[in-house]
Amino acid sequence: MIFAYNKEHVSDTLLTILEDDKGMEQQTERKGNIAKLTTEDGRIIGWNFFEVSEKLTIDERGQVYLTDDQIAVLNTWLQEEGFTEQLTPDHEPKFVVGFVKECVPHEDSDHLSITKIEIDNGKELQIVCGAPNIRQGLKVVVAKPGAMMPDGLLIWPGELRGVESFGMVCSAKELHLADAPKKRGILELPQDAVVGEAFPVGK
């Protein structure tokens, strides 16, 4: 679940993104100052909370991280407007340290690699990566599905040249890190970086 807010440049609207619309046409149901966004197959992909500053004080801009108490306020608001759905807090970090356990060339590409990357709690993700410096044994920063990059790009499961990919291996430039090198390639972390540990982005 991604929350985004920018009162000065967009409006006093909290955008709540739950799923990828997968290119499907969106439908909107509005009750009061809340709009529910669904796809033609019935999936709820997001909510718009208009005039949100009447309910919450949000100091951050861009992607914002709400507390359980703030989400409870939104859930009460949903009930008051007549919606039966509720938001479930998700505090799982979306940017984490990963370990490249496997890296093989993509059979249908001269520059893509198919990786198996260990992330938090021993879980592995298959990620197709185009960085020239990706290789087995690296510690890297992984943007998991449901992450929002500093430039606003949303990360969802996808497919590259016929191979499923579940996340993105990030460069320093993509993470908007200070003094990011201009040379193309992913960020290589020290070998003592802890796999599964949250990587601070946009804080």
Side-chain angles (χ1 to χ4, degrees):
M1 183 163 53
I2 298 169
F3 296 105
Y5 181 71
N6 194 327
K7 183 177 182 179
E8 288 74 22
H9 294 95
V10 182
S11 66
D12 188 18
T13 302
L14 177 68
L15 306 179
T16 304
I17 305 162
L18 304 179
E19 285 191 43
D20 183 9
D21 63 12
K22 298 181 180 179
M24 292 186 176
E25 185 176 340
Q26 295 185 15
Q27 300 170 344
T28 303
E29 178 187 0
R30 180 161 178 169
K31 296 181 181 180
N33 274 336
I34 301 178
K36 178 170 67 173
L37 308 178
T38 59
T39 56
E40 52 193 312
D41 61 357
R43 290 182 299 116
I44 301 175
I45 56 173
W47 298 88
N48 290 339
F49 295 89
F50 304 105
E51 306 301 332
V52 70
S53 61
E54 296 179 2
K55 300 285 186 176
L56 296 176
T57 299
I58 303 176
D59 297 322
E60 300 167 282
R61 296 296 180 265
Q63 183 173 11
V64 298
Y65 301 88
L66 301 188
T67 65
D68 287 353
D69 288 343
Q70 289 175 313
I71 293 175
V73 170
L74 296 180
N75 282 333
T76 298
W77 192 5
L78 284 167
Q79 289 181 325
E80 290 172 348
E81 298 291 11
F83 289 105
T84 58
E85 297 87 358
Q86 294 280 276
L87 302 176
T88 302
D90 175 15
H91 300 304
E92 180 181 289
K94 301 303 180 186
F95 294 88
V96 298
V97 176
F99 175 70
V100 183
K101 297 183 70 174
E102 182 180 314
C103 181
V104 297
H106 192 301
E107 292 183 355
D108 191 32
S109 171
D110 60 1
H111 71 283
L112 295 176
S113 299
I114 303 171
T115 68
K116 294 284 179 64
I117 300 181
E118 181 182 347
I119 55 169
D120 38 325
N121 299 316
K123 182 180 178 181
E124 289 184 13
L125 293 178
Q126 176 173 283
I127 299 177
V128 179
C129 179
N133 59 326
I134 186 72
R135 61 189 183 275
Q136 184 177 354
L138 280 185
K139 296 281 183 71
V140 296
V141 179
V142 173
K144 300 191 296 185
M148 175 184 278
M149 300 298 294
D151 65 0
L153 174 70
L154 300 178
I155 305 300
W156 302 114
E159 189 175 288
L160 287 172
R161 298 284 183 92
V163 176
E164 291 184 319
S165 184
F166 299 91
M168 186 172 83
V169 186
C170 304
S171 69
K173 182 178 179 181
E174 289 165 333
L175 294 168
H176 287 195
L177 299 184
D179 303 318
K182 294 182 178 179
K183 184 178 178 181
R184 186 167 168 265
I186 55 168
L187 177 63
E188 299 184 26
L189 298 177
Q191 282 300 306
D192 61 357
V194 179
V195 173
E197 189 172 274
F199 190 88
V201 176
K203 293 286 190 178

